[in-house]
Amino acid sequence: MSLPAYRSADPARTYFAYNGAWAFLSALTFTLSMVYYIRDAGLDPLQMVLVGTTLELACFLFEIPTGLVADLYSRRLSVIIGVALIGAGFLLQGLVPAFLAILAAQVLWGLGYTFTSGADQAWITDEIGTERAAMVFVLSQQISLAAKIAGTVTAGALGLINLPLPMTLSGAGMILLALTLAVFMREQNFHRTPPEERETFRQMAETFKHGLGVARRRPVVRTLVVISLISGLSSEAFDRLWSVKILNFDFPTVFGTSDPAFWFTVLALIGTLLSLVSSVALNRLSPDRMSATHPNGVLALLSGLQVVGVIAFALLGHLWLALAAMWLNTIAGTLAYPIESAWLNRHVDSRSRATVISMVSQANAIGQVVGGPPLGALAGRTSLRTALLASGLILTPIPALYLRLRPAPSERRQPDPV
């Protein structure tokens, strides 16, 4: 059955535009969100931790059900619903600077994210095939970084006028993006279960069991789930506490201002530019590493750099040295993401792809919910440095987990060049 002309947009171009718009609008919200929480909403450190925990708990509760919806009904519909809900959450957060409203916004954001998580990658993989998907993920990552730069600069300019303004515009833009996707995003290679054959709860249970079976049988999938869990145990505290450490430093005066809003924009911009340059350089100098069939070596190296970055950030007492360590962690994570995404997609079939990807995301959410509050309490009882150091030490098993994976016989013809 042919689709209407207005849904005939090329899937790869649609995916690039979607990720570019997502990155731009997300940067509008997140560049100054920490400053907004403290200045406009008046949140204390405990409330800031609870905001993060609420978001991750929402992701945990809704990840698998929404992933199953994407597998059983429509990846396209799941993405559209998710983007609209995220927009509503951003809009609420920007319009109402109060703790409870911000918590409600996290629930909307988390629910929306779980609709998109796994569904967007599964959609593009179905539409263009697994072989082409690897390079599309890499190019999409570079487009997203460029769009993030534009969003970061825009957020800084708007934030100097009014701190909540970039968040409000971001929410409205996300809702507009959802409407645009509804018009132009096509779905031709996904075949949902016919209504007369649907036994919804039974079908959902069977799809979930199939995805769980894949995770148990395939070492790559099982290991990536464990790695995602470990990353989550570390990342929630680091993501919330790094800004607290940075705010303890005295910012230099530039252009007549040392305002944290200005400097947070500058720091986000530098980090994004470094990630973009590193991604483009690695892709051009060594494209075989970006699309290796069994990239455990390069992922072990990048995860090791992340460990070094987090631990160094915790220990260093000089502003620019600490920032360099933080950017090392950011660059390594940015480079690793598309490589790991393509690797995971090659080890799952279309039937359970969104569900398995959602399981990986859910493992990360579990880790953040479990690991965040204890590390936050550790920061209060001991010191910020101790909590950040613990975050880095938690990551240390990850390089070894990558290295212990051995390629299957079919993969040994194209070994990872690292």
Side-chain angles (χ1 to χ4, degrees), residues 52-395:
T53 303
T54 300
L55 173 61
E56 294 307 324
L57 188 58
C59 291
F60 167 71
L61 293 175
F62 296 117
E63 187 71 54
I64 290 296
T66 54
L68 290 170
V69 168
D71 279 331
L72 293 177
Y73 294 96
S74 168
R75 280 89 149 106
R76 172 182 173 273
L77 179 62
S78 187
V79 170
I80 292 169
I81 292 172
V83 172
L85 287 170
I86 291 169
F90 287 174
L91 199 59
L92 175 60
Q93 177 173 271
L95 291 175
V96 186
F99 177 56
L100 292 180
I102 291 174
L103 288 184
Q106 304 313 299
V107 174
L108 285 172
W109 192 95
L111 174 60
Y113 175 76
T114 59
F115 270 102
T116 63
S117 173
D120 52 0
Q121 293 181 12
W123 169 78
I124 190 62
T125 302
D126 283 346
E127 296 299 309
I128 66 175
T130 56
E131 294 303 317
R132 188 181 170 197
M135 291 309 298
V136 167
F137 285 144
V138 172
L139 182 55
S140 175
Q141 184 73 15
Q142 294 168 4
I143 292 171
S144 296
L145 287 169
K148 184 179 179 181
I149 292 170
T152 300
V153 173
T154 305
L158 294 174
L160 292 175
I161 300 171
N162 180 262
L163 202 52
L165 180 59
M167 297 182 193
T168 304
L169 293 178
S170 172
M174 281 288 187
I175 294 172
L176 179 60
L177 175 60
L179 295 175
T180 303
L181 290 173
V183 174
F184 292 105
M185 187 179 186
R186 77 184 188 192
E187 188 171 59
Q188 292 181 319
N189 294 328
F190 171 73
H191 305 287
R192 51 181 160 177
T193 306
E196 63 273 11
E197 296 180 12
R198 283 185 200 146
E199 298 178 48
T200 305
F201 292 105
R202 182 182 300 176
Q203 188 70 39
M204 290 176 70
E206 289 176 356
T207 305
F208 175 77
K209 289 178 181 177
H210 178 75
L212 189 60
V214 170
R216 288 175 175 173
R217 292 192 306 272
R218 301 184 183 179
V220 169
V221 178
R222 183 172 63 248
T223 300
L224 291 181
V225 170
V226 174
I227 288 172
S228 184
L229 175 65
I230 295 172
S231 297
L233 289 169
S234 166
S235 65
E236 176 62 20
F238 184 82
D239 291 345
R240 298 291 163 179
L241 297 178
W242 76 263
S243 58
V244 179
K245 174 168 180 172
I246 295 300
L247 285 171
N248 286 331
F249 290 106
D250 293 325
F251 293 103
T253 300
V254 176
F255 302 123
T257 182
S258 59
D259 191 322
F262 169 79
W263 275 106
F264 267 62
T265 301
V266 171
L267 299 179
L269 183 59
I270 294 173
T272 304
L273 281 169
L274 290 173
S275 296
L276 177 59
V277 170
S278 300
S279 178
V280 172
L282 182 59
N283 190 38
R284 289 186 177 181
L285 296 175
S286 188
D288 49 351
R289 284 183 171 86
M290 301 297 283
S291 57
T293 303
H294 192 79
N296 67 321
V298 69
L299 288 172
L301 173 62
L302 292 171
S303 62
L305 292 176
Q306 287 184 279
V307 173
V308 171
V310 175
I311 292 177
F313 179 83
L315 297 177
L316 292 170
H318 184 277
L319 173 61
W320 293 105
L321 291 177
L323 288 173
M326 184 181 70
W327 288 328
L328 175 64
N329 172 57
T330 301
I331 291 169
T334 299
L335 294 176
Y337 176 74
I339 301 172
E340 185 179 286
S341 295
W343 196 20
L344 176 62
N345 272 277
R346 282 196 292 268
H347 284 266
V348 293
D349 54 38
S350 178
R351 175 188 170 191
S352 59
R353 181 168 285 127
T355 300
V356 172
I357 295 172
S358 290
M359 284 180 178
V360 175
S361 296
Q362 189 186 42
N364 188 271
I366 292 172
Q368 293 196 44
V369 170
V370 172
L375 288 176
L378 180 64
R381 292 187 177 183
T382 57
S383 67
L384 190 63
R385 172 177 290 187
T386 301
L388 289 169
L389 181 60
S391 294
L393 294 175
I394 289 171
L395 295 174

